[in-house]
Short mmCIF file of all heavy atoms in Angstrom, two decimals:
data_model
loop_
_atom_site.label_atom_id
_atom_site.label_comp_id
_atom_site.label_asym_id
_atom_site.label_seq_id
_atom_site.Cartn_x
_atom_site.Cartn_y
_atom_site.Cartn_z
N ASP A 869 15.08 38.29 -8.06
CA ASP A 869 14.55 38.41 -6.63
C ASP A 869 15.79 38.25 -5.68
O ASP A 869 15.91 39.04 -4.75
CB ASP A 869 13.56 37.37 -6.43
CG ASP A 869 12.60 37.88 -5.17
OD1 ASP A 869 12.85 38.86 -4.58
OD2 ASP A 869 11.61 36.99 -4.96
N MET A 870 16.42 37.21 -5.90
CA MET A 870 17.44 36.83 -4.85
C MET A 870 18.87 37.40 -5.14
O MET A 870 19.59 37.71 -4.29
CB MET A 870 17.51 35.34 -4.75
CG MET A 870 17.83 34.90 -3.32
SD MET A 870 18.01 33.07 -3.19
CE MET A 870 16.37 32.48 -3.01
N ASP A 874 18.70 45.06 -8.34
CA ASP A 874 18.85 46.19 -9.09
C ASP A 874 18.22 46.16 -10.46
O ASP A 874 17.51 47.00 -10.89
CB ASP A 874 20.34 46.60 -9.26
CG ASP A 874 20.97 47.05 -7.95
OD1 ASP A 874 20.34 47.39 -7.10
OD2 ASP A 874 22.32 46.99 -7.91
N GLU A 884 8.00 52.56 -15.98
CA GLU A 884 7.10 53.64 -15.38
C GLU A 884 7.40 54.90 -16.08
O GLU A 884 6.52 55.72 -16.35
CB GLU A 884 7.35 53.78 -13.88
CG GLU A 884 6.67 52.56 -13.10
CD GLU A 884 6.89 52.69 -11.66
OE1 GLU A 884 7.73 53.45 -11.16
OE2 GLU A 884 6.17 51.94 -10.89
N LEU A 894 2.83 39.48 -6.02
CA LEU A 894 3.80 39.07 -5.01
C LEU A 894 3.81 37.58 -4.76
O LEU A 894 4.69 37.09 -4.11
CB LEU A 894 3.53 39.84 -3.66
CG LEU A 894 3.97 41.25 -3.74
CD1 LEU A 894 3.62 42.03 -2.42
CD2 LEU A 894 5.39 41.56 -4.14
N GLN A 896 4.34 35.45 -6.98
CA GLN A 896 5.14 34.86 -8.05
C GLN A 896 6.48 34.26 -7.45
O GLN A 896 6.99 34.80 -6.51
CB GLN A 896 5.47 35.89 -9.13
CG GLN A 896 6.31 37.08 -8.64
CD GLN A 896 6.69 37.95 -9.84
OE1 GLN A 896 7.53 37.72 -10.50
NE2 GLN A 896 5.86 39.06 -9.95
N THR A 897 7.00 33.25 -8.10
CA THR A 897 8.28 32.66 -7.62
C THR A 897 9.22 32.45 -8.80
O THR A 897 10.11 33.43 -9.05
CB THR A 897 8.06 31.34 -6.92
OG1 THR A 897 7.47 30.39 -7.79
CG2 THR A 897 7.05 31.49 -5.74
N THR A 905 14.63 22.00 -17.57
CA THR A 905 15.62 21.67 -18.43
C THR A 905 16.50 20.54 -17.88
O THR A 905 17.36 19.98 -18.63
CB THR A 905 16.55 22.90 -18.74
OG1 THR A 905 16.95 23.42 -17.54
CG2 THR A 905 15.73 24.00 -19.49
N GLY A 907 15.40 17.75 -16.53
CA GLY A 907 14.71 16.53 -16.71
C GLY A 907 13.71 16.23 -15.60
O GLY A 907 13.31 15.05 -15.41
N GLU A 911 8.07 18.61 -11.75
CA GLU A 911 8.30 19.66 -10.64
C GLU A 911 8.13 21.02 -11.29
O GLU A 911 7.48 21.90 -10.60
CB GLU A 911 9.77 19.50 -10.13
CG GLU A 911 10.24 18.03 -9.94
CD GLU A 911 9.46 17.21 -8.96
OE1 GLU A 911 8.65 17.78 -8.21
OE2 GLU A 911 9.59 15.97 -8.88
N CYS A 996 20.93 32.79 -25.51
CA CYS A 996 20.74 32.09 -26.76
C CYS A 996 19.27 31.73 -27.02
O CYS A 996 18.72 32.03 -28.14
CB CYS A 996 21.56 30.74 -26.65
SG CYS A 996 23.23 31.12 -26.54
N ARG A 1000 17.09 33.11 -29.98
CA ARG A 1000 16.42 32.23 -31.01
C ARG A 1000 15.02 32.07 -31.03
O ARG A 1000 14.36 31.94 -32.03
CB ARG A 1000 17.15 30.78 -30.87
CG ARG A 1000 18.67 30.84 -31.10
CD ARG A 1000 19.28 29.53 -31.44
NE ARG A 1000 20.62 29.77 -32.01
CZ ARG A 1000 21.79 29.72 -31.28
NH1 ARG A 1000 21.79 29.45 -30.00
NH2 ARG A 1000 22.86 29.97 -32.01
N HIS A 1025 32.29 35.97 -32.18
CA HIS A 1025 31.43 34.88 -31.85
C HIS A 1025 30.26 35.32 -31.09
O HIS A 1025 29.91 34.77 -29.93
CB HIS A 1025 32.27 33.82 -30.98
CG HIS A 1025 33.27 33.12 -31.87
ND1 HIS A 1025 34.65 33.50 -31.70
CD2 HIS A 1025 33.19 32.26 -32.71
CE1 HIS A 1025 35.35 32.73 -32.60
NE2 HIS A 1025 34.50 32.00 -33.17
N GLU A 1028 27.63 32.91 -29.97
CA GLU A 1028 28.03 31.72 -29.21
C GLU A 1028 27.55 31.76 -27.79
O GLU A 1028 27.56 32.92 -27.17
CB GLU A 1028 29.42 31.46 -29.29
CG GLU A 1028 29.87 29.98 -28.90
CD GLU A 1028 31.30 29.76 -29.09
OE1 GLU A 1028 32.13 30.26 -28.31
OE2 GLU A 1028 31.65 29.01 -30.01
N CYS A 1029 27.09 30.83 -27.29
CA CYS A 1029 26.59 30.66 -25.83
C CYS A 1029 27.63 31.10 -24.86
O CYS A 1029 28.76 30.91 -25.07
CB CYS A 1029 26.14 29.20 -25.49
SG CYS A 1029 25.67 28.93 -23.88
N LYS A 1039 26.83 20.79 -13.66
CA LYS A 1039 27.09 19.41 -14.04
C LYS A 1039 28.34 19.23 -14.88
O LYS A 1039 28.96 18.23 -14.91
CB LYS A 1039 25.80 18.83 -14.81
CG LYS A 1039 24.66 18.59 -13.77
CD LYS A 1039 23.54 18.01 -14.66
CE LYS A 1039 22.25 17.93 -13.68
NZ LYS A 1039 21.97 16.51 -13.40
N HIS A 1040 28.65 20.31 -15.58
CA HIS A 1040 29.83 20.26 -16.40
C HIS A 1040 30.61 21.59 -16.30
O HIS A 1040 30.73 22.35 -17.24
CB HIS A 1040 29.36 20.12 -17.96
CG HIS A 1040 28.73 18.69 -18.17
ND1 HIS A 1040 29.46 17.58 -18.42
CD2 HIS A 1040 27.42 18.45 -18.22
CE1 HIS A 1040 28.57 16.61 -18.62
NE2 HIS A 1040 27.32 17.09 -18.48
N GLU A 1042 33.73 22.48 -16.01
CA GLU A 1042 34.89 22.83 -16.84
C GLU A 1042 34.48 23.34 -18.19
O GLU A 1042 35.02 24.28 -18.64
CB GLU A 1042 35.80 21.67 -16.89
CG GLU A 1042 36.63 21.19 -15.60
CD GLU A 1042 36.02 20.08 -14.97
OE1 GLU A 1042 34.75 19.70 -15.31
OE2 GLU A 1042 36.65 19.51 -14.07
N SER A 1044 31.54 24.52 -19.04
CA SER A 1044 30.88 25.73 -18.88
C SER A 1044 31.90 26.95 -18.69
O SER A 1044 31.76 28.05 -19.28
CB SER A 1044 29.98 25.70 -17.71
OG SER A 1044 29.51 26.89 -17.27
N THR A 1048 32.42 30.45 -20.86
CA THR A 1048 32.17 31.76 -20.14
C THR A 1048 33.50 32.56 -20.31
O THR A 1048 33.42 33.77 -20.58
CB THR A 1048 31.82 31.52 -18.67
OG1 THR A 1048 30.67 30.75 -18.55
CG2 THR A 1048 31.46 32.95 -18.01
N ASP A 1050 35.77 32.32 -22.57
CA ASP A 1050 35.93 32.75 -23.88
C ASP A 1050 35.00 33.95 -24.25
O ASP A 1050 35.40 34.87 -24.91
CB ASP A 1050 35.68 31.67 -24.96
CG ASP A 1050 36.70 30.57 -24.93
OD1 ASP A 1050 37.82 30.76 -24.34
OD2 ASP A 1050 36.60 29.47 -25.49
N SER A 1073 26.66 34.53 -14.22
CA SER A 1073 27.67 33.66 -14.57
C SER A 1073 28.96 34.47 -14.99
O SER A 1073 30.00 34.25 -14.51
CB SER A 1073 27.22 32.52 -15.65
OG SER A 1073 28.33 32.18 -16.37
N LEU A 1076 30.12 36.60 -11.92
CA LEU A 1076 30.85 35.91 -10.84
C LEU A 1076 32.19 35.31 -11.34
O LEU A 1076 33.21 35.19 -10.49
CB LEU A 1076 29.94 34.84 -10.30
CG LEU A 1076 28.76 35.48 -9.44
CD1 LEU A 1076 27.80 34.34 -9.00
CD2 LEU A 1076 29.29 36.28 -8.27
N LYS A 1080 35.73 36.20 -9.60
CA LYS A 1080 36.73 35.16 -9.20
C LYS A 1080 38.17 35.57 -9.85
O LYS A 1080 39.18 35.32 -9.32
CB LYS A 1080 36.24 33.80 -9.75
CG LYS A 1080 37.28 32.72 -9.56
CD LYS A 1080 36.92 31.89 -8.48
CE LYS A 1080 37.76 30.58 -8.36
NZ LYS A 1080 37.28 29.65 -7.21
N HIS B 742 33.79 13.13 -18.41
CA HIS B 742 34.32 14.31 -17.56
C HIS B 742 35.94 14.40 -17.69
O HIS B 742 36.40 15.46 -18.00
CB HIS B 742 33.93 14.30 -16.24
CG HIS B 742 32.44 14.55 -15.89
ND1 HIS B 742 31.94 15.76 -15.99
CD2 HIS B 742 31.36 13.78 -15.72
CE1 HIS B 742 30.65 15.79 -15.82
NE2 HIS B 742 30.31 14.51 -15.68
N ARG B 746 37.92 17.14 -19.71
CA ARG B 746 38.83 18.02 -18.97
C ARG B 746 40.25 17.91 -19.71
O ARG B 746 40.85 18.92 -19.94
CB ARG B 746 39.00 17.48 -17.56
CG ARG B 746 39.65 18.35 -16.60
CD ARG B 746 39.54 17.71 -15.22
NE ARG B 746 38.25 17.43 -14.76
CZ ARG B 746 37.91 16.28 -14.22
NH1 ARG B 746 38.78 15.34 -13.98
NH2 ARG B 746 36.62 16.05 -13.92
N ARG B 755 42.21 22.41 -28.89
CA ARG B 755 41.24 23.45 -28.90
C ARG B 755 41.42 24.49 -30.09
O ARG B 755 40.35 24.83 -30.64
CB ARG B 755 41.20 24.22 -27.54
CG ARG B 755 40.43 23.54 -26.49
CD ARG B 755 40.40 24.36 -25.19
NE ARG B 755 39.49 25.55 -25.34
CZ ARG B 755 39.23 26.39 -24.40
NH1 ARG B 755 39.82 26.18 -23.21
NH2 ARG B 755 38.48 27.43 -24.62
N ASP B 763 35.06 27.17 -37.07
CA ASP B 763 34.76 28.57 -37.59
C ASP B 763 34.71 28.53 -39.05
O ASP B 763 33.84 29.14 -39.79
CB ASP B 763 35.85 29.56 -37.07
CG ASP B 763 35.65 29.98 -35.70
OD1 ASP B 763 34.51 29.63 -35.11
OD2 ASP B 763 36.43 30.68 -35.11
N ARG B 1060 34.82 22.80 -28.11
CA ARG B 1060 35.84 22.89 -27.04
C ARG B 1060 36.49 21.55 -26.63
O ARG B 1060 37.51 21.55 -26.14
CB ARG B 1060 35.26 23.68 -25.80
CG ARG B 1060 35.22 25.11 -26.19
CD ARG B 1060 34.51 25.97 -25.10
NE ARG B 1060 34.61 27.36 -25.50
CZ ARG B 1060 33.75 27.95 -26.48
NH1 ARG B 1060 32.92 27.21 -27.05
NH2 ARG B 1060 33.93 29.16 -26.83
N THR B 1093 23.24 15.84 -20.72
CA THR B 1093 23.52 17.03 -19.90
C THR B 1093 24.62 17.92 -20.38
O THR B 1093 24.77 18.96 -19.81
CB THR B 1093 23.73 16.60 -18.45
OG1 THR B 1093 24.90 15.79 -18.41
CG2 THR B 1093 22.54 15.85 -17.83
N SER B 1096 24.37 23.27 -23.05
CA SER B 1096 23.76 24.53 -22.33
C SER B 1096 22.29 24.70 -22.92
O SER B 1096 21.76 25.70 -22.53
CB SER B 1096 24.60 25.68 -22.40
OG SER B 1096 24.87 26.04 -23.94
N CYS B 1098 21.71 25.76 -25.87
CA CYS B 1098 21.78 27.07 -26.42
C CYS B 1098 20.99 27.08 -27.71
O CYS B 1098 20.56 28.16 -28.19
CB CYS B 1098 23.24 27.58 -26.64
SG CYS B 1098 24.00 26.73 -28.13
N GLU B 1103 19.10 25.07 -34.62
CA GLU B 1103 18.93 26.20 -35.52
C GLU B 1103 19.45 25.85 -36.84
O GLU B 1103 18.92 26.29 -37.92
CB GLU B 1103 19.63 27.35 -35.04
CG GLU B 1103 19.41 28.70 -35.72
CD GLU B 1103 20.10 29.82 -35.15
OE1 GLU B 1103 21.25 29.77 -34.87
OE2 GLU B 1103 19.37 30.83 -34.88
N ARG B 1119 17.10 13.60 -20.72
CA ARG B 1119 17.34 13.89 -19.35
C ARG B 1119 16.24 13.32 -18.46
O ARG B 1119 16.56 12.76 -17.38
CB ARG B 1119 17.56 15.40 -19.11
CG ARG B 1119 18.85 16.00 -19.78
CD ARG B 1119 18.90 17.48 -19.69
NE ARG B 1119 19.98 17.98 -20.46
CZ ARG B 1119 20.41 19.25 -20.39
NH1 ARG B 1119 19.80 20.19 -19.69
NH2 ARG B 1119 21.47 19.67 -21.19
N HIS B 1124 13.72 9.11 -14.64
CA HIS B 1124 12.47 8.70 -14.26
C HIS B 1124 12.13 7.26 -14.80
O HIS B 1124 12.26 7.02 -16.03
CB HIS B 1124 11.36 9.53 -14.75
CG HIS B 1124 11.39 10.96 -14.22
ND1 HIS B 1124 12.26 11.96 -14.60
CD2 HIS B 1124 10.66 11.56 -13.19
CE1 HIS B 1124 12.06 13.03 -14.06
NE2 HIS B 1124 11.21 12.78 -13.10
N GLU B 1148 19.48 14.16 -6.24
CA GLU B 1148 19.05 15.12 -7.24
C GLU B 1148 17.57 15.12 -7.16
O GLU B 1148 16.96 16.20 -7.17
CB GLU B 1148 19.63 14.76 -8.65
CG GLU B 1148 19.37 15.84 -9.59
CD GLU B 1148 19.65 15.45 -11.02
OE1 GLU B 1148 19.79 14.07 -11.28
OE2 GLU B 1148 19.86 16.36 -11.81
N ARG B 1156 10.54 22.18 -5.55
CA ARG B 1156 9.14 22.29 -5.89
C ARG B 1156 8.30 22.72 -4.64
O ARG B 1156 7.42 23.64 -4.75
CB ARG B 1156 8.64 20.94 -6.35
CG ARG B 1156 7.20 20.99 -6.70
CD ARG B 1156 6.70 19.56 -6.96
NE ARG B 1156 6.17 18.91 -5.75
CZ ARG B 1156 5.99 17.64 -5.68
NH1 ARG B 1156 6.31 16.82 -6.67
NH2 ARG B 1156 5.61 17.13 -4.58
N TYR B 1159 9.00 26.52 -4.08
CA TYR B 1159 8.67 27.38 -5.11
C TYR B 1159 7.23 27.36 -5.51
O TYR B 1159 6.78 28.20 -6.36
CB TYR B 1159 9.71 27.21 -6.23
CG TYR B 1159 10.98 27.86 -6.05
CD1 TYR B 1159 11.93 27.33 -5.10
CD2 TYR B 1159 11.34 29.05 -6.74
CE1 TYR B 1159 13.09 27.90 -4.98
CE2 TYR B 1159 12.62 29.58 -6.55
CZ TYR B 1159 13.39 28.95 -5.58
OH TYR B 1159 14.71 29.57 -5.40
N TYR B 1165 8.21 30.34 -0.23
CA TYR B 1165 9.30 30.95 -1.09
C TYR B 1165 9.67 32.29 -0.46
O TYR B 1165 10.83 32.71 -0.50
CB TYR B 1165 8.61 31.15 -2.43
CG TYR B 1165 9.52 32.06 -3.42
CD1 TYR B 1165 10.68 31.53 -4.05
CD2 TYR B 1165 9.22 33.30 -3.59
CE1 TYR B 1165 11.42 32.23 -4.79
CE2 TYR B 1165 10.01 34.07 -4.51
CZ TYR B 1165 11.12 33.61 -5.03
OH TYR B 1165 11.93 34.43 -5.81
N THR B 1187 31.77 27.00 -8.17
CA THR B 1187 32.93 27.80 -7.65
C THR B 1187 34.24 27.42 -8.28
O THR B 1187 35.33 28.01 -7.91
CB THR B 1187 32.96 27.85 -6.10
OG1 THR B 1187 32.64 26.56 -5.61
CG2 THR B 1187 31.96 28.89 -5.65
N ARG B 1190 34.17 30.40 -10.76
CA ARG B 1190 33.38 31.56 -10.43
C ARG B 1190 33.28 31.74 -8.97
O ARG B 1190 33.39 30.88 -8.13
CB ARG B 1190 31.88 31.39 -11.02
CG ARG B 1190 31.81 31.15 -12.48
CD ARG B 1190 30.37 30.93 -12.89
NE ARG B 1190 30.31 30.72 -14.38
CZ ARG B 1190 30.20 29.56 -14.95
NH1 ARG B 1190 30.27 28.47 -14.31
NH2 ARG B 1190 30.09 29.41 -16.28
N ALA B 1191 33.01 33.09 -8.62
CA ALA B 1191 32.86 33.39 -7.20
C ALA B 1191 31.45 32.79 -6.75
O ALA B 1191 30.70 32.52 -7.50
CB ALA B 1191 32.77 34.85 -7.03
N ALA B 1196 21.69 38.77 -2.61
CA ALA B 1196 21.89 40.19 -2.40
C ALA B 1196 21.22 40.46 -0.97
O ALA B 1196 20.43 39.82 -0.50
CB ALA B 1196 21.00 41.02 -3.32
N GLN B 1198 19.60 42.67 0.16
CA GLN B 1198 18.12 43.14 0.14
C GLN B 1198 17.59 42.53 -1.23
O GLN B 1198 18.08 42.75 -2.25
CB GLN B 1198 17.96 44.63 -0.02
CG GLN B 1198 18.15 45.29 1.34
CD GLN B 1198 17.64 46.79 1.15
OE1 GLN B 1198 18.22 47.54 0.40
NE2 GLN B 1198 16.62 47.14 1.91
N PHE B 1200 14.89 41.78 -4.18
CA PHE B 1200 14.00 42.50 -5.05
C PHE B 1200 12.71 42.92 -4.29
O PHE B 1200 12.24 44.01 -4.30
CB PHE B 1200 13.71 41.76 -6.42
CG PHE B 1200 12.58 42.35 -7.15
CD1 PHE B 1200 12.78 43.46 -7.87
CD2 PHE B 1200 11.38 41.68 -7.24
CE1 PHE B 1200 11.81 44.09 -8.70
CE2 PHE B 1200 10.40 42.24 -8.08
CZ PHE B 1200 10.53 43.43 -8.70
N ARG B 1201 12.10 41.90 -3.62
CA ARG B 1201 10.96 42.09 -2.81
C ARG B 1201 11.08 43.07 -1.75
O ARG B 1201 10.20 43.99 -1.59
CB ARG B 1201 10.52 40.72 -2.05
CG ARG B 1201 9.49 40.02 -2.71
CD ARG B 1201 9.78 38.51 -2.47
NE ARG B 1201 9.55 37.82 -3.58
CZ ARG B 1201 8.33 37.40 -4.05
NH1 ARG B 1201 7.30 37.62 -3.32
NH2 ARG B 1201 8.20 36.75 -5.15
N ARG B 1203 13.28 45.58 -1.80
CA ARG B 1203 13.58 46.72 -2.38
C ARG B 1203 12.15 47.41 -2.92
O ARG B 1203 11.96 48.49 -2.84
CB ARG B 1203 14.43 46.65 -3.62
CG ARG B 1203 15.89 46.17 -3.15
CD ARG B 1203 16.87 47.39 -2.85
NE ARG B 1203 16.87 48.28 -3.99
CZ ARG B 1203 17.79 48.14 -5.00
NH1 ARG B 1203 18.62 47.10 -4.95
NH2 ARG B 1203 17.82 48.98 -5.95
N ARG B 1207 10.58 50.90 -1.85
CA ARG B 1207 10.24 51.88 -2.80
C ARG B 1207 8.72 52.28 -2.71
O ARG B 1207 8.48 53.52 -2.76
CB ARG B 1207 10.42 51.14 -4.18
CG ARG B 1207 10.41 52.00 -5.44
CD ARG B 1207 10.91 51.12 -6.55
NE ARG B 1207 10.95 51.90 -7.83
CZ ARG B 1207 9.94 51.96 -8.63
NH1 ARG B 1207 8.76 51.45 -8.41
NH2 ARG B 1207 10.01 52.70 -9.75
N ARG B 1211 7.39 56.22 -1.59
CA ARG B 1211 6.53 56.94 -2.55
C ARG B 1211 5.25 57.42 -1.85
O ARG B 1211 4.56 58.18 -2.48
CB ARG B 1211 6.15 56.03 -3.73
CG ARG B 1211 7.37 55.73 -4.57
CD ARG B 1211 7.01 55.46 -5.94
NE ARG B 1211 8.17 55.62 -6.78
CZ ARG B 1211 8.16 55.39 -8.06
NH1 ARG B 1211 7.02 54.99 -8.67
NH2 ARG B 1211 9.37 55.55 -8.72
#
Side-chain angles (χ1 to χ4, degrees):
Chain A
D869 200 2
M870 215 185 275
D874 286 343
E884 285 178 348
L894 288 174
Q896 61 177 279
T897 63
T905 55
E911 320 296 348
C996 299
R1000 297 198 161 100
H1025 294 100
E1028 201 175 71
C1029 174
K1039 288 184 186 250
H1040 297 278
E1042 288 101 342
S1044 165
T1048 306
D1050 288 347
S1073 156
L1076 291 174
K1080 177 102 171 182
Chain B
H742 289 282
R746 200 173 303 131
R755 276 187 71 180
D763 282 352
R1060 283 172 179 77
T1093 58
S1096 64
C1098 76
E1103 187 176 55
R1119 292 176 184 186
H1124 296 81
E1148 189 188 24
R1156 181 189 85 197
Y1159 282 71
Y1165 172 76
T1187 37
R1190 297 179 181 95
Q1198 280 191 302
F1200 167 73
R1201 263 152 220 277
R1203 296 272 302 273
R1207 191 169 181 269
R1211 295 202 162 184

